[in-house]
Amino acid sequence: FLADPVVLPPTVQDFKDAIQLHMDNKAKEYGYDNIGSAVTYAEEPAVPKFQKEGKAFRAWRSQVWDFGYAQMAQVQGGSSTMPTIAELLESLPALVIPE
């Protein structure tokens, strides 16, 4: 007989990968290749729409990583329980692109 597979809890790297994928997918929703591509437009004044989006993505990326690392530190420090990846992604700061 086959034993049931062991399901391991997510690692810190799993959380980092999920956050990165989340940001890349959000950038793709706006037509960029990934978050890295989106933020390159932050200092490009030739097309104001792209510059505005680039600045918003750059700020959001910093906010997301700051929040994610703070959450991981709380878990590692014992002051918070380990969320699921879905719970962590749902609690991340929202992207706000000014009108």
Side-chain angles (χ1 to χ4, degrees):
F1 76 95
L2 296 174
D4 290 333
V6 175
V7 178
L8 299 174
T11 64
V12 170
Q13 189 60 51
D14 292 333
F15 283 105
K16 288 179 180 180
D17 291 346
I19 289 171
Q20 185 65 50
L21 182 61
H22 173 73
M23 290 189 298
D24 287 341
N25 286 340
K26 182 58 78 174
K28 287 176 184 178
E29 288 177 21
Y30 284 80
Y32 298 99
D33 295 332
N34 53 44
I35 188 75
S37 171
V39 302
T40 65
Y41 288 88
E43 300 306 322
E44 175 52 61
V47 180
K49 174 190 181 300
F50 294 150
Q51 185 178 33
K52 176 178 66 173
E53 290 176 356
K55 287 180 179 183
F57 273 105
R58 184 175 62 190
W60 179 63
R61 179 181 62 180
S62 295
Q63 293 162 357
V64 165
W65 282 121
D66 182 58
F67 180 86
Y69 283 122
Q71 294 301 306
M72 287 183 251
Q74 288 177 3
V75 169
Q76 291 171 334
S79 64
S80 181
T81 60
M82 176 77 80
T84 65
I85 288 176
E87 289 169 339
L88 176 65
L89 295 179
E90 288 173 15
S91 66
L92 292 174
L95 172 64
V96 177
I97 297 181
E99 296 285 331

